[in-house]
Amino acid sequence: MPTFAQKVQVAKELCQELMAVGFGPFLGTPSGVLSPFYSALNRHDGLLIVARDDNAVGVAAGASLAGQFPVVLMESSGLGQSISAIASLVVPYKIPMLLVVSSRGGYPEATKENLIMGRLTQPLLDELGIEGVTLDPEVRPSRQVNRLRDIVRGQLRPAALLVPSTALGARA
């Protein structure tokens, strides 16, 4: 099991790898689970905080249509809140973007609302036809980022990186 310091290092490497292969801009709403990733992005002036997850998806769609490969960072509850924007805009028009979704609902936070959305995250992505890759902190981020790059930049379609609640060392 990786240590807290190793998990924070994974967040830094993930940030660097995504930027190195041309992902950006990065948009998101505040998230405790993704906070180490947000800290790494802030070191590069690469994070735009948006008030609502569906607004972040809309801004990302505009950035994508302008030729960029945006990343939307959200918790699993934000995915639920953004379903309409994703299902009516991103999916039917195959707008390439990366969704980084923290999968809340596991240990240490077993609240009912987080358990439900955590359990629904993968099925929602499956029904939307969005391929998901789960972040494994014990695997070099470059392998996972290369797969996501192939989907978003190579196939020009949306993809998701699922981040388990404990993968980056943050406490929910």
Side-chain angles (χ1 to χ4, degrees):
M1 179 65 100
T3 66
F4 178 78
Q6 289 169 324
K7 291 177 182 182
V8 171
Q9 184 60 34
V10 168
K12 290 177 186 176
E13 289 177 20
L14 181 60
C15 172
Q16 291 168 347
E17 291 288 338
L18 287 168
M19 294 173 109
V21 299
F23 279 104
F26 293 81
L27 308 112
T29 56
S31 169
V33 173
L34 296 173
S35 62
F37 189 64
Y38 280 36
S39 294
L41 284 169
N42 279 329
R43 289 189 187 90
H44 299 282
D45 294 323
L47 177 63
L48 174 64
I49 299 294
V50 180
R52 291 174 44 108
D53 297 289
D54 57 345
N55 291 346
V57 170
V59 173
S64 183
L65 294 172
Q68 297 179 306
F69 295 97
V71 178
V72 178
L73 302 117
M74 62 179 66
E75 294 182 349
S76 53
S77 58
L79 176 66
Q81 195 264 328
S82 301
I83 285 296
S84 182
I86 294 168
S88 63
L89 176 64
V90 175
V91 171
Y93 296 102
K94 297 181 182 169
I95 297 176
M97 69 177 63
L98 176 61
L99 305 174
V100 176
V101 182
S102 66
S103 300
R104 296 186 66 177
Y107 176 81
E109 49 148 9
T111 62
K112 289 180 183 180
E113 66 276 9
N114 287 325
L115 285 170
I116 293 167
M117 282 310 300
R119 190 173 56 239
L120 290 175
T121 299
Q122 187 63 59
L124 284 171
L125 291 170
D126 291 344
E127 287 297 319
L128 290 164
I130 296 176
E131 186 171 341
V133 173
T134 300
L135 178 66
D136 181 347
E138 296 191 32
V139 174
R140 297 219 30 96
S142 60
R143 285 186 43 201
Q144 295 157 94
V145 167
N146 287 338
R147 176 66 190 131
L148 294 164
R149 180 202 60 215
D150 291 346
I151 298 166
V152 176
R153 296 196 61 161
Q155 299 172 27
L156 297 175
R157 61 187 180 99
L161 175 64
L162 302 173
V163 181
S165 61
T166 58
L168 298 179
R171 290 170 183 83

